[in-house]
Amino acid sequence: MSSTKERVCIIGSGNWGSAIAKIVGRNVIGSSRFEEPINMWVFEEMIDGRKLTDIINTEHENVRYLPGIQLPANIRAVPDLLDAVKGATVLIFVVPHQFVKGICDQLHGSVPPTTKAISLIKGVDVKAKSLALISDVIAQSLSIDVSVLMGANIANEVARDKFCETTVGCRVRANGELFRELFNTPYFRVNVVEDVAGVELCGALKNIVAIGAGLADGLEYGDNTKAALIRIGLMEMKKFARMFYQGVKEETFFESCGVADLITTCAGGRNRRVAEAHARTGKPFEQLEQEMLNGQKLQGTSTALELHEVLRQKGLCKEFPLFTTIYEICYENLPASRIVENI
């Protein structure tokens, strides 16, 4: 095997991580650019008395997070993070955003500066009255270049080879093209844009809007109301992105990462489903997350919390009435019906 080939490691093995592993595992077979074996870091769990990593490596199926989908045999589940990334030149980060800091702390000093990384993580990080992109957290922690991938990509549909598009945002065009080669398939079509902030913020903020769409569904407010909330949400997404990040491009909002991802997340996806259940049952979001998501994390509520902290500190809550109302419904017991009244 040529030592000049790129060696890929996937950091994360949930629903989305496993779906991506299927794509990447297939794409590197026979490649002149990438080595075929791919390590996938798996947080070890016991499933009916067996280690999840053992099940993945023998049965080639993530029975915990993506049951019924066959993974390529060249995907190797590794329970130790440092073992998984050893020798890797390409890192794919696909874990819940609240775990990124801890993972980067573990990786510090073990990742060469020439490593190319891409984040598939939808969320933001709040630091002392400011907001940081997850890609920036990774880049600054590990001193490497980090691109992002976001789009209208519900994991279960991607895993079943249903056609969709996605967007890679990059700072270094050559790295963006490398990731296009790694991810692109006839059914998973990749477009590359040089707008990391725009792509990543679309991916994070649309989850908040999806909470609003789910509340409208649970309250049976109808399609007109839901469409209005989506439109208002898109406007607040654009306003926030431009207010906090220079250079965000208008056309990014019309890529798969923008309006397409917003539409599909507000039509399906876990954030919409859990919000609908909250409106119907009155149960707290945290309880519903445990009951409905099979160990997965709800990104819309946590992003709403982190975003609100920034808006509150800067006195901007009234500038973003939809984002603020969704935060108050999730965390301050505001009735779900106020989703319309307060905007």
Side-chain angles (χ1 to χ4, degrees):
M1 185 176 293
S2 172
S3 60
T4 61
K5 289 186 177 183
E6 305 279 4
R7 181 181 297 180
V8 180
C9 173
I10 302 170
I11 299 175
S13 59
N15 186 237
W16 186 214
S18 297
I20 283 298
K22 179 182 176 183
I23 290 175
V24 174
R26 284 176 171 177
N27 276 358
V28 300
I29 294 174
S31 171
S32 61
R33 190 168 191 178
F34 301 99
E35 293 184 3
E36 289 191 11
I38 294 178
N39 285 350
M40 178 172 70
W41 175 64
V42 175
F43 181 78
E44 191 69 277
E45 299 179 59
M46 298 301 294
I47 309 293
D48 295 329
R50 298 178 63 191
K51 293 180 179 179
L52 180 57
T53 52
D54 290 342
I55 296 173
I56 293 173
N57 289 333
T58 56
E59 299 177 16
H60 308 297
E61 178 185 353
N62 189 336
V63 296
R64 179 76 163 97
Y65 296 108
L66 196 65
I69 299 297
Q70 196 74 6
L71 300 178
N74 59 324
I75 299 294
R76 175 174 172 262
V78 180
D80 184 272
L81 178 61
L82 294 181
D83 285 347
V85 304
K86 187 175 182 180
T89 60
V90 175
L91 300 178
I92 301 170
F93 285 84
V94 54
V95 295
H97 77 276
Q98 54 265 43
F99 300 138
V100 170
K101 287 182 181 177
I103 287 172
C104 286
D105 287 345
Q106 292 184 63
L107 293 178
H108 186 75
S110 299
V111 176
T114 54
T115 302
K116 295 166 282 291
I118 189 164
S119 170
L120 281 61
I121 301 167
K122 296 179 177 178
V124 291
D125 180 57
V126 174
K127 296 179 179 179
K129 297 186 179 182
S130 67
L131 178 141
L133 302 175
I134 297 299
S135 63
D136 286 341
V137 173
I138 298 170
Q140 292 165 11
S141 298
L142 303 180
S143 299
I144 58 177
D145 182 68
V146 183
S147 302
V148 297
L149 181 149
M150 305 283 159
N153 309 139
I154 293 176
N156 289 338
E157 295 182 14
V158 173
R160 288 170 171 79
D161 298 353
K162 304 295 185 182
F163 174 80
C164 66
E165 299 176 308
T166 198
T167 311
V168 167
C170 65
R171 294 179 179 87
V172 179
R173 188 73 192 191
N175 290 348
E177 295 301 330
L178 176 143
F179 287 118
R180 187 209 300 270
E181 183 175 341
L182 186 59
F183 291 107
N184 193 68
T185 77
Y187 70 89
F188 190 72
R189 188 174 296 169
V190 177
N191 190 38
V192 179
V193 299
E194 295 181 43
D195 183 7
V196 170
V199 173
E200 189 165 0
L201 283 170
C202 281
L205 301 181
K206 57 91 182 182
N207 284 326
I208 304 177
V209 183
I211 296 289
L215 294 171
D217 285 342
L219 294 165
E220 299 183 358
Y221 280 173
D223 292 337
N224 291 343
T225 300
K226 186 173 178 179
L229 292 172
I230 292 172
R231 187 201 68 80
I232 294 167
L234 177 60
M235 297 305 294
E236 291 196 11
M237 287 168 58
K238 291 176 64 177
K239 183 177 182 178
F240 184 92
R242 289 176 166 176
M243 184 177 290
F244 285 87
Y245 286 89
Q246 293 183 347
V248 171
K249 299 176 180 178
E250 173 77 14
E251 55 266 31
T252 298
F253 294 93
F254 297 95
E255 291 286 341
S256 180
C257 64
V259 65
D261 196 9
L262 179 62
I263 290 170
T264 196
T265 306
C266 290
R270 71 188 74 161
N271 293 284
R272 192 215 63 80
R273 288 191 293 111
V274 174
E276 179 183 10
H278 170 78
R280 292 189 185 279
T281 67
K283 293 181 179 179
F285 280 91
E286 185 176 359
Q287 179 182 343
L288 290 168
E289 180 183 66
Q290 295 172 354
E291 293 176 358
M292 299 176 63
L293 298 186
N294 192 33
Q296 299 177 67
K297 295 297 181 181
L298 197 63
Q299 299 299 319
T301 52
S302 57
T303 304
L305 174 63
E306 291 160 336
L307 198 76
H308 181 75
E309 182 63 18
V310 173
L311 296 178
R312 184 188 62 79
Q313 290 174 349
K314 295 185 177 296
L316 294 171
C317 293
K318 291 183 179 180
E319 296 285 327
F320 297 88
L322 181 63
F323 288 169
T324 299
T325 299
I326 290 171
Y327 159 79
E328 291 173 344
I329 292 171
C330 292
Y331 291 99
E332 295 186 357
N333 297 316
L334 191 73
S337 61
R338 298 288 288 277
I339 189 63
V340 172
E341 296 172 21
N342 282 25
I343 62 173

